[in-house]
Amino acid sequence: MESPMIHSAIEYVKTIFQTDYSGHDVSHTLRVYQTACRLAEAEHADLRIVQLAALLHDVDDRKLSPETHEHKDRAVSFMKSQNLSDDVIQQVCRIISEVSYAGRDSVVPSSIEGKCVQDADRLDALGAIGIARAFAYGGSRGRVMYDPEIKPDLDMSGEAYHRHISTTVNHFYEKLFLLQDMMNTKTARAIAEHRTQYMHGYLDEFLSEWEGIL
């Protein structure tokens, strides 16, 4: 059963993401939360820290809220409203800052709690839902689905990755297919392997249909 604070955090993220159609909606946050809790249990991590970081991990995301990203204004404001200690706020903000994918500059979180949240977030980018989210995000940014003339860039720094404009299919090669080997926990690696295999099959079918192969 969720504590009153976690219930409040859920209601808070619902207000922030209620009009998001980029694949970063509240359903994404809640899936990350549920998966992170499972991983926290398996890894004996601090559940409250994992819960908070999972629920707040996107509220100051660079892509979604660039004006609050640097100081994690929304996350900090919520946690202060719950009278959480400075230590807890710092732990959660550190996890949030370490979660995002940043090309070859991606970091391994410094705590087991951060590893659980990062794995949960990355797992939601894989499998059937990961495919749907990739195309939803690409469409929300005006990106074409596929252009065989545009080749994927497989060696981007963090800044290059954030500035990069490509196709949704290239995103599979530039990020999604790389995540399986970047998982931190044994449980997440097993899930990632299954979901990545599914995505390879989907992309094979997509490219066959694109070329008109019956």
Side-chain angles (χ1 to χ4, degrees):
M1 186 175 178
E2 291 150 355
S3 70
M5 178 185 63
I6 296 304
H7 178 75
S8 294
I10 291 172
E11 293 304 309
Y12 179 62
V13 297
K14 283 180 179 179
T15 65
I16 290 178
F17 297 117
Q18 60 185 337
T19 59
D20 183 277
Y21 303 103
S22 73
H24 296 83
D25 53 13
V26 69
S27 296
H28 162 67
T29 293
L30 293 179
R31 286 191 303 271
V32 171
Y33 165 70
Q34 291 161 359
T35 302
C37 288
R38 286 175 53 199
L39 296 177
E41 182 178 358
E43 299 295 327
H44 308 291
D46 185 319
L47 182 59
R48 184 176 68 152
I49 296 295
V50 168
Q51 288 175 319
L52 283 167
L55 288 169
L56 299 173
H57 82 279
D58 266 348
V59 299
D60 297 296
D61 184 87
R62 178 174 179 167
K63 302 183 298 296
L64 309 174
S65 184
E67 69 279 6
T68 70
H69 168 72
E70 183 177 359
H71 300 294
K72 310 292 181 287
D73 297 337
R74 288 173 168 176
V76 170
S77 175
F78 172 78
M79 289 187 283
K80 285 186 174 179
S81 77
Q82 301 298 305
N83 298 315
L84 291 168
S85 69
D86 289 343
D87 179 61
V88 168
I89 292 173
Q90 290 172 7
Q91 286 185 65
V92 172
C93 286
R94 185 180 306 115
I95 290 170
I96 293 172
S97 70
E98 295 172 338
V99 162
S100 293
Y101 181 83
R104 55 181 162 81
D105 294 332
S106 298
V107 301
V108 175
S110 54
S111 66
I112 187 58
E113 289 77 21
K115 291 175 180 177
C116 290
V117 176
Q118 186 184 73
D119 280 1
D121 187 40
R122 290 178 172 177
L123 284 173
D124 207 55
L126 301 179
I129 287 176
I131 292 168
R133 291 184 64 226
F135 284 102
Y137 184 79
S140 75
R141 294 301 188 269
R143 297 180 181 176
V144 298
M145 291 192 297
Y146 176 56
D147 183 341
E149 298 300 316
I150 302 175
K151 304 303 180 185
D153 186 343
L154 303 180
D155 187 33
M156 288 182 280
S157 67
E159 281 304 313
Y161 176 78
H162 288 300
R163 293 194 308 268
H164 185 58
I165 299 175
S166 188
T167 71
T168 296
V169 166
N170 279 356
H171 185 63
F172 282 68
Y173 297 101
E174 293 169 345
K175 175 184 176 182
L176 304 183
F177 288 154
L178 307 178
L179 295 180
Q180 176 181 328
D181 292 333
M182 299 174 74
M183 294 294 167
N184 303 292
T185 64
K186 182 179 179 180
T187 302
R189 283 192 292 273
I191 299 170
E193 181 179 3
H194 168 76
R195 293 186 182 183
T196 302
Q197 288 176 352
Y198 178 89
M199 294 172 73
H200 277 290
Y202 168 82
L203 198 55
D204 289 344
E205 177 68 18
F206 179 98
L207 294 174
S208 292
E209 292 181 14
W210 189 274
E211 296 297 331
I213 299 173
L214 300 178

